[in-house]
Amino acid sequence: MSYRKRTAALASAAALAGSAVWMAAPVARAEVVDVNYQCKTPIGDKSAVSPIDIKSTKRGDGYRITMSWQKGVSSSPVELGKGAMTPSATVALGGADSGTLSVTGPANDAAIPANTPIKISDLSGTYVPKKSGEVTFTAGVLTIKALGTTTTCTPTNDPGPSLTLDVTAASGGGTSGSAPGGGSGGSGADTGGGLPQTGPEDSAIALGTLGGTVLLAGAAGTLWLTRRHRATQAGR
């Protein structure tokens, strides 16, 4: 095979390998889902519908999961001063994994007027996969504690998953997180850090690194062929 043909074949093989890696990359699918909450409050039952968004970002062997409410739920007959209300919630795991993930967040950073829908801050937790495969994340029970009372809001419309992740369990299997507020499913609460980004972006970063390695390997092979070709010509 001529020098030019060998070089072209090597470049094609590297490009095909990069394409194969891209096709095999893990996928995350996220969508905003309307959740119909029925709330048990100290002053009676209330209901509210809020679109729920669940996002993830890769962190070591696990994922930081963040749950966001786009509308307020429930209300209080009296004003809730700054820091008077503390929310928490569960996220139901499905697919390749099962159980619940606990997510927590900060108390309200501003006063909430009486008889006004309570806006829930973003709640976060850490999920560590116990099994490899496609795992779904669906809004679960919301708990609101304020002024010595507890309100629980339960989804009643059987909402679909807000997030689907293709995950790989850590070697030896996942273990339950030790941070406070951790739920089952190899998870623990994590309230630090800023807002996360969606899973596909993290997968793309890892993929770009691997794809670059493939292309570098192809470049090294081309350089070796070039040197060998020159050496052959010099020896003639």
Side-chain angles (χ1 to χ4, degrees):
M1 184 182 290
S2 67
Y3 163 73
R4 288 183 178 179
K5 289 183 178 180
R6 286 196 298 266
T7 302
L10 184 58
S12 297
L16 288 173
S19 298
V21 170
W22 178 263
M23 293 299 290
V27 176
R29 299 191 300 276
E31 62 178 312
V32 177
V33 176
D34 287 339
V35 178
N36 186 352
Y37 283 104
Q38 295 295 321
C39 301
K40 298 290 186 181
T41 81
I43 58 172
D45 295 347
K46 295 180 178 293
S47 63
V49 176
S50 176
I52 299 296
D53 185 21
I54 299 178
K55 296 180 180 179
S56 72
T57 187
K58 190 75 171 68
R59 284 193 174 184
D61 291 336
Y63 296 82
R64 176 179 166 85
I65 303 296
T66 296
M67 187 177 186
S68 302
W69 280 258
Q70 295 188 4
K71 290 184 179 180
V73 297
S74 190
S75 62
S76 170
V78 297
E79 178 179 285
L80 299 177
K82 178 180 178 181
M85 184 273 296
T86 303
S88 63
T90 60
V91 177
L93 307 177
D97 209 342
S98 61
T100 58
L101 168 69
S102 295
V103 289
T104 59
N108 56 307
D109 59 2
I112 302 173
N115 301 311
T116 300
I118 297 174
K119 180 64 172 69
I120 306 299
S121 60
D122 289 350
L123 306 182
S124 299
T126 298
Y127 168 69
V128 179
K130 295 184 298 182
K131 298 179 181 179
S132 299
E134 195 173 78
V135 178
T136 60
F137 298 78
T138 304
V141 177
L142 167 67
T143 302
I144 301 172
K145 293 186 177 182
L147 305 179
T149 67
T150 299
T151 294
T152 56
C153 299
T154 304
T156 58
N157 61 330
D158 192 21
S162 295
L163 175 67
T164 301
L165 284 180
D166 194 357
V167 304
T168 301
S171 57
T175 57
S176 297
S178 58
S184 60
S187 58
D190 179 5
T191 58
L195 290 176
Q197 298 181 2
T198 56
E201 295 180 9
D202 302 294
S203 299
I205 294 173
L207 174 62
T209 303
L210 183 55
T213 302
V214 172
L215 293 179
L216 285 174
T222 301
L223 179 61
W224 178 81
L225 287 174
T226 302
R227 289 180 176 175
R228 183 179 180 186
H229 179 66
R230 290 178 179 173
T232 302
Q233 288 183 332
R236 291 179 180 175

Short mmCIF file of all heavy atoms in Angstrom, two decimals, residues 134-171:
data_model
loop_
_atom_site.label_atom_id
_atom_site.label_comp_id
_atom_site.label_asym_id
_atom_site.label_seq_id
_atom_site.Cartn_x
_atom_site.Cartn_y
_atom_site.Cartn_z
N GLU A 134 -30.52 2.51 32.79
CA GLU A 134 -31.30 3.74 32.68
C GLU A 134 -32.14 3.94 33.94
O GLU A 134 -32.96 3.10 34.29
CB GLU A 134 -32.20 3.65 31.45
CG GLU A 134 -32.80 4.97 31.02
CD GLU A 134 -33.55 4.87 29.71
OE1 GLU A 134 -34.69 4.38 29.73
OE2 GLU A 134 -32.99 5.28 28.68
N VAL A 135 -31.92 5.05 34.62
CA VAL A 135 -32.61 5.36 35.88
C VAL A 135 -33.48 6.61 35.68
O VAL A 135 -33.04 7.59 35.09
CB VAL A 135 -31.61 5.60 37.02
CG1 VAL A 135 -32.34 5.97 38.31
CG2 VAL A 135 -30.74 4.37 37.24
N THR A 136 -34.72 6.54 36.17
CA THR A 136 -35.63 7.68 36.07
C THR A 136 -35.77 8.37 37.43
O THR A 136 -35.65 7.74 38.48
CB THR A 136 -37.03 7.25 35.58
OG1 THR A 136 -37.58 6.31 36.51
CG2 THR A 136 -36.93 6.61 34.21
N PHE A 137 -36.04 9.68 37.38
CA PHE A 137 -36.20 10.49 38.58
C PHE A 137 -37.54 11.23 38.48
O PHE A 137 -37.75 12.02 37.56
CB PHE A 137 -35.06 11.49 38.70
CG PHE A 137 -33.70 10.86 38.84
CD1 PHE A 137 -33.05 10.35 37.72
CD2 PHE A 137 -33.09 10.77 40.07
CE1 PHE A 137 -31.80 9.75 37.84
CE2 PHE A 137 -31.84 10.18 40.20
CZ PHE A 137 -31.19 9.66 39.08
N THR A 138 -38.44 10.94 39.44
CA THR A 138 -39.80 11.48 39.41
C THR A 138 -40.11 12.21 40.71
O THR A 138 -39.73 11.75 41.79
CB THR A 138 -40.82 10.34 39.19
OG1 THR A 138 -40.48 9.62 38.00
CG2 THR A 138 -42.23 10.88 39.07
N ALA A 139 -40.81 13.33 40.61
CA ALA A 139 -41.16 14.11 41.80
C ALA A 139 -41.93 13.27 42.80
O ALA A 139 -42.87 12.56 42.44
CB ALA A 139 -41.99 15.32 41.38
N GLY A 140 -41.53 13.37 44.07
CA GLY A 140 -42.20 12.65 45.15
C GLY A 140 -42.86 13.62 46.12
O GLY A 140 -43.33 14.69 45.73
N VAL A 141 -42.87 13.27 47.39
CA VAL A 141 -43.56 14.05 48.43
C VAL A 141 -42.75 15.28 48.81
O VAL A 141 -41.54 15.21 49.04
CB VAL A 141 -43.82 13.19 49.67
CG1 VAL A 141 -44.47 14.03 50.78
CG2 VAL A 141 -44.70 12.01 49.32
N LEU A 142 -43.43 16.42 48.88
CA LEU A 142 -42.83 17.68 49.33
C LEU A 142 -43.25 17.91 50.78
O LEU A 142 -44.43 17.76 51.12
CB LEU A 142 -43.31 18.83 48.45
CG LEU A 142 -43.05 20.25 48.96
CD1 LEU A 142 -41.56 20.55 48.98
CD2 LEU A 142 -43.79 21.27 48.09
N THR A 143 -42.30 18.28 51.62
CA THR A 143 -42.58 18.58 53.04
C THR A 143 -42.17 20.02 53.34
O THR A 143 -41.04 20.42 53.03
CB THR A 143 -41.82 17.61 53.97
OG1 THR A 143 -42.20 16.27 53.68
CG2 THR A 143 -42.12 17.91 55.43
N ILE A 144 -43.08 20.76 53.95
CA ILE A 144 -42.81 22.15 54.32
C ILE A 144 -42.97 22.30 55.83
O ILE A 144 -44.04 22.03 56.37
CB ILE A 144 -43.78 23.11 53.59
CG1 ILE A 144 -43.65 22.95 52.07
CG2 ILE A 144 -43.52 24.55 54.00
CD1 ILE A 144 -44.71 23.72 51.30
N LYS A 145 -41.91 22.73 56.49
CA LYS A 145 -41.97 22.97 57.93
C LYS A 145 -41.88 24.47 58.19
O LYS A 145 -40.97 25.14 57.68
CB LYS A 145 -40.84 22.24 58.64
CG LYS A 145 -40.98 20.72 58.56
CD LYS A 145 -39.93 20.01 59.40
CE LYS A 145 -40.15 18.50 59.37
NZ LYS A 145 -39.17 17.77 60.21
N ALA A 146 -42.86 24.97 58.95
CA ALA A 146 -42.89 26.40 59.23
C ALA A 146 -43.63 26.68 60.53
O ALA A 146 -44.71 26.11 60.78
CB ALA A 146 -43.57 27.15 58.08
N LEU A 147 -43.05 27.52 61.36
CA LEU A 147 -43.68 27.96 62.62
C LEU A 147 -44.17 26.79 63.47
O LEU A 147 -45.25 26.81 64.05
CB LEU A 147 -44.84 28.91 62.32
CG LEU A 147 -44.52 30.14 61.46
CD1 LEU A 147 -45.78 30.98 61.23
CD2 LEU A 147 -43.44 30.98 62.13
N GLY A 148 -43.36 25.73 63.52
CA GLY A 148 -43.69 24.57 64.34
C GLY A 148 -44.72 23.65 63.73
O GLY A 148 -45.19 22.71 64.40
N THR A 149 -45.12 23.88 62.50
CA THR A 149 -46.11 23.02 61.83
C THR A 149 -45.46 22.31 60.64
O THR A 149 -44.41 22.73 60.14
CB THR A 149 -47.32 23.83 61.33
OG1 THR A 149 -46.89 24.72 60.29
CG2 THR A 149 -47.93 24.65 62.46
N THR A 150 -46.12 21.25 60.18
CA THR A 150 -45.62 20.49 59.02
C THR A 150 -46.73 20.32 58.00
O THR A 150 -47.85 19.90 58.34
CB THR A 150 -45.11 19.10 59.46
OG1 THR A 150 -44.03 19.25 60.38
CG2 THR A 150 -44.62 18.31 58.25
N THR A 151 -46.44 20.63 56.77
CA THR A 151 -47.35 20.44 55.65
C THR A 151 -46.74 19.44 54.69
O THR A 151 -45.56 19.57 54.32
CB THR A 151 -47.61 21.77 54.91
OG1 THR A 151 -48.32 22.66 55.78
CG2 THR A 151 -48.43 21.55 53.65
N THR A 152 -47.51 18.44 54.29
CA THR A 152 -47.02 17.46 53.33
C THR A 152 -47.85 17.54 52.05
O THR A 152 -49.08 17.56 52.10
CB THR A 152 -47.09 16.02 53.89
OG1 THR A 152 -48.43 15.74 54.29
CG2 THR A 152 -46.17 15.88 55.08
N CYS A 153 -47.17 17.59 50.92
CA CYS A 153 -47.83 17.69 49.62
C CYS A 153 -47.45 16.47 48.78
O CYS A 153 -46.27 16.23 48.52
CB CYS A 153 -47.40 18.97 48.91
SG CYS A 153 -47.83 20.49 49.80
N THR A 154 -48.46 15.71 48.37
CA THR A 154 -48.24 14.46 47.65
C THR A 154 -48.76 14.55 46.21
O THR A 154 -49.88 14.99 46.00
CB THR A 154 -48.97 13.31 48.37
OG1 THR A 154 -48.53 13.26 49.73
CG2 THR A 154 -48.68 11.99 47.69
N PRO A 155 -47.94 14.15 45.22
CA PRO A 155 -48.42 14.13 43.84
C PRO A 155 -49.58 13.15 43.68
O PRO A 155 -49.52 12.02 44.17
CB PRO A 155 -47.19 13.67 43.04
CG PRO A 155 -46.02 13.99 43.92
CD PRO A 155 -46.52 13.77 45.32
N THR A 156 -50.64 13.58 42.99
CA THR A 156 -51.80 12.70 42.82
C THR A 156 -52.09 12.38 41.36
O THR A 156 -53.00 11.61 41.07
CB THR A 156 -53.05 13.37 43.42
OG1 THR A 156 -53.27 14.63 42.78
CG2 THR A 156 -52.88 13.57 44.91
N ASN A 157 -51.34 12.96 40.44
CA ASN A 157 -51.62 12.74 39.02
C ASN A 157 -50.65 11.76 38.37
O ASN A 157 -50.54 11.71 37.14
CB ASN A 157 -51.60 14.07 38.26
CG ASN A 157 -50.23 14.76 38.34
OD1 ASN A 157 -49.51 14.60 39.33
ND2 ASN A 157 -49.89 15.52 37.32
N ASP A 158 -49.93 10.99 39.19
CA ASP A 158 -48.97 10.00 38.67
C ASP A 158 -48.07 10.65 37.61
O ASP A 158 -48.03 10.21 36.45
CB ASP A 158 -49.71 8.81 38.07
CG ASP A 158 -48.78 7.64 37.77
OD1 ASP A 158 -47.69 7.58 38.37
OD2 ASP A 158 -49.13 6.80 36.91
N PRO A 159 -47.31 11.67 38.02
CA PRO A 159 -46.47 12.38 37.03
C PRO A 159 -45.38 11.47 36.46
O PRO A 159 -44.90 10.56 37.13
CB PRO A 159 -45.86 13.52 37.85
CG PRO A 159 -45.84 12.99 39.26
CD PRO A 159 -47.09 12.17 39.39
N GLY A 160 -45.00 11.75 35.24
CA GLY A 160 -43.91 11.00 34.63
C GLY A 160 -42.57 11.51 35.11
O GLY A 160 -42.49 12.53 35.82
N PRO A 161 -41.48 10.84 34.74
CA PRO A 161 -40.14 11.25 35.17
C PRO A 161 -39.79 12.64 34.64
O PRO A 161 -40.11 12.98 33.49
CB PRO A 161 -39.22 10.18 34.58
CG PRO A 161 -40.11 9.01 34.32
CD PRO A 161 -41.44 9.58 33.96
N SER A 162 -39.13 13.42 35.46
CA SER A 162 -38.60 14.71 35.01
C SER A 162 -37.19 14.56 34.48
O SER A 162 -36.67 15.46 33.80
CB SER A 162 -38.60 15.71 36.17
OG SER A 162 -39.91 16.02 36.59
N LEU A 163 -36.54 13.43 34.80
CA LEU A 163 -35.16 13.21 34.35
C LEU A 163 -34.93 11.72 34.16
O LEU A 163 -35.39 10.89 34.95
CB LEU A 163 -34.18 13.75 35.41
CG LEU A 163 -32.68 13.49 35.17
CD1 LEU A 163 -32.19 14.27 33.95
CD2 LEU A 163 -31.86 13.87 36.40
N THR A 164 -34.21 11.38 33.10
CA THR A 164 -33.78 10.00 32.84
C THR A 164 -32.28 10.02 32.59
O THR A 164 -31.81 10.77 31.74
CB THR A 164 -34.51 9.40 31.63
OG1 THR A 164 -35.93 9.41 31.87
CG2 THR A 164 -34.07 7.96 31.39
N LEU A 165 -31.55 9.20 33.34
CA LEU A 165 -30.10 9.13 33.21
C LEU A 165 -29.65 7.72 32.87
O LEU A 165 -30.18 6.75 33.42
CB LEU A 165 -29.41 9.55 34.51
CG LEU A 165 -29.34 11.02 34.89
CD1 LEU A 165 -28.62 11.18 36.23
CD2 LEU A 165 -28.62 11.81 33.81
N ASP A 166 -28.67 7.60 31.99
CA ASP A 166 -28.03 6.32 31.72
C ASP A 166 -26.78 6.29 32.59
O ASP A 166 -25.81 7.00 32.32
CB ASP A 166 -27.66 6.22 30.23
CG ASP A 166 -27.30 4.79 29.82
OD1 ASP A 166 -27.29 3.92 30.71
OD2 ASP A 166 -27.04 4.57 28.63
N VAL A 167 -26.79 5.49 33.67
CA VAL A 167 -25.73 5.56 34.68
C VAL A 167 -24.91 4.27 34.72
O VAL A 167 -25.34 3.22 34.24
CB VAL A 167 -26.31 5.82 36.08
CG1 VAL A 167 -27.15 7.09 36.08
CG2 VAL A 167 -27.16 4.64 36.55
N THR A 168 -23.74 4.38 35.30
CA THR A 168 -22.85 3.23 35.53
C THR A 168 -22.51 3.17 37.00
O THR A 168 -22.03 4.16 37.57
CB THR A 168 -21.57 3.36 34.70
OG1 THR A 168 -21.90 3.43 33.31
CG2 THR A 168 -20.66 2.14 34.93
N ALA A 169 -22.77 2.04 37.64
CA ALA A 169 -22.49 1.88 39.07
C ALA A 169 -20.99 1.89 39.31
O ALA A 169 -20.20 1.42 38.48
CB ALA A 169 -23.09 0.59 39.60
N ALA A 170 -20.57 2.46 40.44
CA ALA A 170 -19.17 2.47 40.80
C ALA A 170 -18.70 1.05 41.04
O ALA A 170 -19.48 0.17 41.41
CB ALA A 170 -18.96 3.32 42.06
N SER A 171 -17.41 0.78 40.83
CA SER A 171 -16.88 -0.56 41.04
C SER A 171 -17.12 -0.98 42.47
O SER A 171 -16.87 -0.25 43.41
CB SER A 171 -15.38 -0.59 40.74
OG SER A 171 -14.70 0.34 41.55
#
